[in-house]
Every structure is written in C-alpha cells, then in structure tokens.
Amino acid sequence: MAIEKTTILVFGGSFDPPHSAHISMLEEAVTLIKPERVIIALTWLSPFKKEHFASFSQRRELLSIALKKCSFADICYISDFEFKRRKKTYTWQFIKHLKNKYPNSEIFFLMGSDSFVSLDKWRKSEYIKKSCKLIVAIRKGFVPKKSGALFLNKMYPPDSSTEFRERALFCDFSLLHSKVAKKIKKHGLYFADLACAMKENMSEKRFLHVANTALLSMRLAKSHGIDIKKAVISALLHDCAKELPFKKQVSLSLKLFPESLVRKISDMAPLAIHQFASAALARRKFGICDKQILKAIAWHSIGEKNPSKLGKLLFICDFASYDRRHESAKKVREIAFSSIEKAYTKF
Ligand SMILES: [Fe+2]
Ligand SMILES: [Fe+2]
C-alpha cells in the first residue's frame, strides 16, 4: 500500500525582525499548496551576514508572536536545528536534515525572488533544487523569469527587515504586527528605545536631524564594516542636550569634562558646548559608558585632533545627514560611501 507523502512548507530567514510581508508570503504559500506542516528555518547566523541585530532567542520570541494569529498557526513550528548547531548553517544542510527527519515527505521551499535570482551561487544549489519544490514570492526590483519554481501572485517589498530597521530610527513601526512592535520597544531592540526617547525629548525638527544622522551612520557603518551598534548609538545621542538651556549645558559638561576645557569652549564657541553636554547626558541619563562613543559625541561639533574612525563617521554624518539639503552635504555623503577618510579630509 502506498504511503501518502506529507507536504511540508519551509520558509527560512533571519527574521530580524519578522514583519508583515513575511507573514503575507507564508499565508499565500499555505493557501496555494495546503501543507500538513509549516516549518520556519530561523537562521542562527545567515551565511550572508556577519551578525544579526537581535539574538536568536529574541528573534524566535518575535516570530512566535507574529505567527500566533496566523491561519496556519496550529501546523507551524520554528525549527531549533540551527540553534542546536550554534553555527552558520547552509540551506542544503537544513534540507538534508528535514529529508532525514521526514523521509516520506514532499518539501516546498519558500523564498523571495531576490534569493531565487542568486540561487545558483548558493552552496549545493543543485541539491536544493532536486530535493525541494521552490515557491517564489516576487519582491519589487527582483522580477525573475518565471520558470523552475511556483510563483506567488502578490508583489512583495524588496527587503522589509532592512527597511523596518531604518524606519525604527524614526520610531516608525508600521511594518510590524502591533504586538511584535510592542515587544521590540519593551526590549529596546533595533535601537527603538533610544530613538523613541529622543523623539519624546526634543523638537520634531531636531529629532528628524538626529534620526537622519543615525540612518546615514547605520548605512555607512554597514558598508565600511564599522561597529553598527556604536555608530547608531552615537548618532542618536549626539545632540541629546542641544535644546537644553545654555547654563544647563555648561553644568552638565562640567560633570564629565575638566573645567578649563569647558570654560574655553563655552567662551570661544558657545554653540559647540552642546557636544560635551550631550556626551555627559548620554552617560548620566542613558547609561552609555563606552569611551569611544562618548568621545565621538563629545567632539562631533568642532572635531578633535586625532579622531577614531567612529569619531570621523559621526562628524561626517552630522554634517551630511539626509536632512541637510545643501550641495556640500550631498557631495560629502557621496564620497563617504566610497571612503570615510576621503570624506573627512573634505573638512
Ligand atoms: Fe551637534
Ligand atoms: Fe547634529
């Protein structure tokens, strides 16, 4: 007697964080193939990334929340295969694991068209194609030839996790399930806590400048291999004391810097005193103890003699943030994406 095959739908990714497009893709694929099981292959560390913004456990928690109300919640589970391995895992390894665990199954592998167009570059892509039926969700900007897979009908955004992380700097959580957004804010993931604290504590114009500085800083840090966390934190906090009264800025500065230096700057360049005050406030109110971050904030306005790469980055991003419309800002932004050093020498 022939044993009926179990249909399994697999969807892999970093889910950093899980967002509404992920869930829509899954819903559409489930409607199409009506699987008996849906397995989420949550990556420990994506082969395409150095690190994730949230830990495996945090991403798993967010995924569980996002999946809870889905139509297929009762047949869906998040695999802990990569969590147990605790190392970079390739898709073919996960598929092989599933084939061993469910020998009598038909596996459908859901992927975005951005991944599908580069599938031939993946490790053991032939094995993946032979072992699974591919289902492709078309993402804007990545419209492939419609062959070699099943294609979903809807059009999806290009990379919503990146877009979400950038929007979070502006306290925009609209791409997420409300309970996922709530958890992210509660745990301060994706810099949501700092960004929202800035929004609450400064004028709208200043906050837009701060968020735009952080956005440029995040993008440049990513493209130059600079510590993204330090880059974004220093950018979000760099003007945190700028709207305080001058006297308050001076008194704050004196908490962290020598009196002679504070007096000298407040006499010679009073507008620049906010750089010391912001560093002091970043430490006292926001608990930032990292010396590199504090130093970058402390000299972001007038620059320092021997700045670190982080210091140069913040200086550039403050000058050339996306809210600055002047031509020289655009020019510096352009140069900065090819070289931080070259952009810095423009000053
Ligand atoms: Fe500033
Ligand atoms: Fe600024």
Side-chain angles (χ1 to χ4, degrees), residues 205-256:
K205 192 180 173 200
R206 176 68 41 203
F207 174 65
L208 278 177
H209 162 65
V210 160
N212 275 299
T213 305
L215 176 59
L216 181 60
S217 194
M218 183 187 255
R219 289 178 177 172
L220 283 173
K222 190 179 173 187
S223 81
H224 293 296
I226 299 170
D227 188 316
I228 294 177
K229 202 174 170 194
K230 289 187 182 188
V232 174
I233 292 173
S234 56
L236 282 174
L237 288 168
H238 83 280
D239 276 345
C240 65
K242 189 157 186 173
E243 292 183 341
L244 296 176
F246 181 73
K247 271 189 176 176
K248 178 75 184 164
Q249 288 186 27
V250 172
S251 69
L252 263 172
S253 301
L254 289 169
K255 309 261 186 216
L256 197 61

Side-chain angles (χ1 to χ4, degrees), residues 156-206:
Y156 293 92
D159 179 357
S160 304
S161 290
T162 301
E163 192 183 338
F164 160 74
R165 291 193 297 267
E166 295 191 348
R167 286 189 189 205
L169 301 175
F170 294 79
C171 293
D172 176 355
F173 302 98
S174 55
L175 291 176
L176 303 182
H177 185 291
S178 60
K179 285 189 176 167
V180 173
K182 203 172 161 187
K183 189 63 83 178
I184 283 173
K185 283 187 247 179
K186 188 180 170 192
H187 291 327
L189 297 171
Y190 310 104
F191 313 105
D193 52 344
L194 268 191
C196 293
M198 291 307 113
K199 192 176 183 182
E200 280 165 24
N201 285 289
M202 53 180 66
S203 65
E204 197 183 341
K205 192 180 173 200
R206 176 68 41 203

Side-chain angles (χ1 to χ4, degrees), residues 92-331:
W92 73 267
Q93 292 169 310
F94 186 78
I95 301 287
K96 193 177 175 195
H97 154 74
L98 280 188
K99 291 290 238 186
N100 290 335
K101 192 169 178 184
Y102 305 102
N104 198 43
S105 62
E106 185 171 30
I107 299 172
F108 287 80
F109 192 84
L110 173 62
M111 57 167 54
S113 55
D114 50 333
S115 301
F116 181 66
V117 294
S118 61
L119 182 62
D120 288 338
K121 292 178 189 155
W122 290 19
R123 295 255 177 116
K124 300 203 181 187
S125 60
E126 285 309 315
Y127 173 80
I128 298 170
K129 286 190 241 176
K130 267 184 215 162
S131 313
C132 313
K133 285 188 176 166
L134 302 176
I135 305 181
V136 177
I138 296 179
R139 287 180 143 164
K140 277 178 197 160
F142 299 93
V143 182
K145 281 182 191 166
K146 286 193 174 180
S147 64
L150 291 169
F151 291 85
L152 299 181
N153 287 320
K154 288 184 193 165
M155 179 73 84
Y156 293 92
D159 179 357
S160 304
S161 290
T162 301
E163 192 183 338
F164 160 74
R165 291 193 297 267
E166 295 191 348
R167 286 189 189 205
L169 301 175
F170 294 79
C171 293
D172 176 355
F173 302 98
S174 55
L175 291 176
L176 303 182
H177 185 291
S178 60
K179 285 189 176 167
V180 173
K182 203 172 161 187
K183 189 63 83 178
I184 283 173
K185 283 187 247 179
K186 188 180 170 192
H187 291 327
L189 297 171
Y190 310 104
F191 313 105
D193 52 344
L194 268 191
C196 293
M198 291 307 113
K199 192 176 183 182
E200 280 165 24
N201 285 289
M202 53 180 66
S203 65
E204 197 183 341
K205 192 180 173 200
R206 176 68 41 203
F207 174 65
L208 278 177
H209 162 65
V210 160
N212 275 299
T213 305
L215 176 59
L216 181 60
S217 194
M218 183 187 255
R219 289 178 177 172
L220 283 173
K222 190 179 173 187
S223 81
H224 293 296
I226 299 170
D227 188 316
I228 294 177
K229 202 174 170 194
K230 289 187 182 188
V232 174
I233 292 173
S234 56
L236 282 174
L237 288 168
H238 83 280
D239 276 345
C240 65
K242 189 157 186 173
E243 292 183 341
L244 296 176
F246 181 73
K247 271 189 176 176
K248 178 75 184 164
Q249 288 186 27
V250 172
S251 69
L252 263 172
S253 301
L254 289 169
K255 309 261 186 216
L256 197 61
F257 299 93
E259 189 174 351
S260 56
L261 180 63
V262 174
R263 298 287 172 219
K264 189 177 158 193
I265 298 294
S266 60
D267 288 346
M268 289 171 61
L271 283 177
I273 200 71
H274 79 278
Q275 60 179 12
F276 293 155
S278 295
L281 199 61
R283 187 186 165 101
R284 289 172 70 85
K285 188 172 175 183
F286 299 100
I288 305 298
C289 296
D290 184 288
K291 284 184 180 163
Q292 257 194 328
I293 295 177
L294 293 176
K295 206 171 170 211
I297 297 173
W299 293 99
H300 79 265
S301 179
I302 55 175
E304 62 175 319
K305 270 189 184 169
N306 297 305
S308 64
K309 199 151 194 180
L310 188 72
K312 289 177 186 171
L313 179 71
L314 181 57
F315 192 82
I316 290 165
C317 292
D318 183 29
F319 174 83
S321 62
Y322 293 106
D323 57 308
R324 312 273 201 207
R325 302 280 179 222
H326 50 89
E327 271 310 305
S328 46
K330 279 187 197 167
K331 190 94 194 146

